[in-house]
Amino acid sequence: MTLLSIIIPNYNYGRFADRLFGSIAAQTVSLAEVEIIFVDDGSSDDSREQAGKWAGRIDCSNFLILTPPRSGRPGPVRNHGLDQASGRYLLCFDPDDELQPDFLEKSINLLEATPKISVVFSDYREVSPEKTFVRVLPDFNPLHLRTQNTVASAAVYRRELWDAGVRYRENTAYEDWDYWVQCLMAGGKFRRLPLPLYVHHIHELNFSYQAEKEDGVAKAMIVLNNPGFFHDSVVRWASDHLYRRAHAPSFRRGYIPTAEELSMLTTYRP
């Protein structure tokens, strides 16, 4: 078994390949026990050629280029790569982002030193055409996941969670959020590294823009996918929202209402 598998789901992001793979090659740890699994979702650009170029440059334990049938969503593409992974630790990383040089070293060292921790995530630098800033996340609290996703998508975690049956689901555009809820329910313990260890680039093709368009339904499906994690009234809200009932609004983007907020919404005040 290798130490770490990096799964990279890709669709027409070949133009970012040098930045992405360059950041992996520049890691402060040896890649001799790291495998890279590049999963291309039917790209029409030069993505596969770019990955093949880097496969000959990076001195890692294995470099796979997989080409499953077109899915159109990153979740199934990630699942396909994860299913082929042999690493003790797993990382899904978006091809338009980049790792800071000590990302792997700090993440793996924490997991190696703290067996009770299952998932390690960090702050990150967010870069857009308008501004650049550090996105500082809160220390992990399981209650946060009931209302919003406070775990970075680029997190390193133990393969035991994957082996326990955690999977990216296709029925919600907030795939990461749903995945972390599943990890938590499978017994995962989370730890935040208070350092900006990767760079997230904002542009017009980010899948997160699609998620924003599907916000209400995407949140409702997280609740219905994991009903044991949410209050019964929140589960009812999710079902009612899918039926477009007036008493079950979407609430603000990226936020699932609490039972108390739903109670206030339905309380009659003459």
Side-chain angles (χ1 to χ4, degrees):
M1 180 181 290
T2 56
L3 178 65
L4 170 73
S5 298
I6 303 175
I7 291 84
I8 302 167
N10 176 81
Y11 177 68
N12 282 348
Y13 276 2
R15 64 191 182 280
F16 301 124
D18 287 345
R19 185 176 69 195
L20 165 70
F21 290 117
S23 76
I24 295 175
Q27 290 299 294
T28 55
V29 295
S30 169
L31 301 179
E33 293 187 85
V34 175
E35 71 174 351
I36 298 171
I37 303 176
F38 184 85
V39 191
D40 189 70
D41 192 29
S43 293
S44 58
D45 67 355
D46 65 345
S47 291
R48 292 182 295 277
E49 290 76 14
Q50 290 292 330
K53 177 186 73 176
W54 278 96
R57 294 180 178 178
I58 298 180
D59 188 17
C60 57
S61 67
N62 193 22
F63 197 122
L64 294 176
I65 300 175
L66 306 179
T67 56
R70 169 82 175 143
S71 166
R73 300 187 83 98
V77 182
R78 290 172 177 168
N79 286 340
H80 188 84
L82 287 162
D83 200 41
Q84 305 297 315
S86 63
R88 187 158 77 247
Y89 304 123
L90 305 171
L91 165 66
C92 290
F93 196 71
D94 292 336
D96 51 341
D97 291 340
E98 59 185 304
L99 299 173
Q100 298 288 50
D102 53 352
F103 178 97
L104 294 183
E105 179 180 6
K106 292 189 180 302
S107 300
I108 292 173
N109 283 351
L110 178 55
L111 286 167
E112 295 274 273
T114 320
K116 67 178 182 179
I117 298 299
S118 314
V119 182
V120 172
F121 65 100
S122 74
D123 301 335
Y124 57 91
R125 190 174 302 278
E126 189 168 297
V127 177
S128 73
E130 293 78 29
K131 60 181 178 179
T132 297
F133 67 99
V134 173
R135 179 80 68 180
V136 178
L137 300 173
D139 288 334
F140 183 75
N141 183 330
L143 296 180
H144 290 164
L145 287 179
R146 287 189 172 139
T147 57
Q148 56 195 311
N149 183 20
T150 56
V151 179
S153 61
V156 181
Y157 57 96
R158 299 183 189 274
R159 74 168 300 114
E160 285 81 0
L161 293 171
W162 172 263
D163 292 340
V166 175
R167 297 293 185 272
Y168 287 96
R169 290 171 167 142
E170 295 186 58
N171 64 359
T172 174
Y174 290 136
E175 296 167 312
D176 292 327
W177 188 354
D178 182 83
Y179 196 81
W180 302 135
V181 171
Q182 291 181 66
C183 286
L184 184 64
M185 295 183 72
K189 305 295 182 184
F190 292 67
R191 176 74 59 83
R192 166 183 166 255
L193 279 167
L195 298 165
L197 294 181
Y198 74 99
V199 183
H200 175 53
H201 291 272
I202 301 293
H203 54 86
E204 73 282 358
L205 297 179
N206 286 128
F207 185 75
S208 57
Y209 284 116
Q210 181 63 32
E212 292 175 10
K213 295 176 184 177
E214 302 175 17
D215 177 73
V217 171
K219 294 183 300 190
M221 291 312 304
I222 292 173
V223 176
L224 296 177
N225 286 341
N226 308 282
F229 183 64
F230 295 93
H231 192 278
D232 288 347
S233 63
V234 179
V235 176
R236 288 194 295 272
W237 162 83
S239 179
D240 288 344
H241 180 76
L242 292 184
Y243 282 105
R244 300 183 180 181
R245 290 172 176 154
H247 63 271
S250 175
F251 286 78
R252 66 180 183 270
R253 181 174 62 83
Y255 182 82
I256 292 174
T258 65
E260 291 75 18
E261 289 168 324
L262 291 171
S263 177
M264 292 175 61
L265 188 67
T266 57
T267 300
Y268 174 68
R269 291 182 176 87

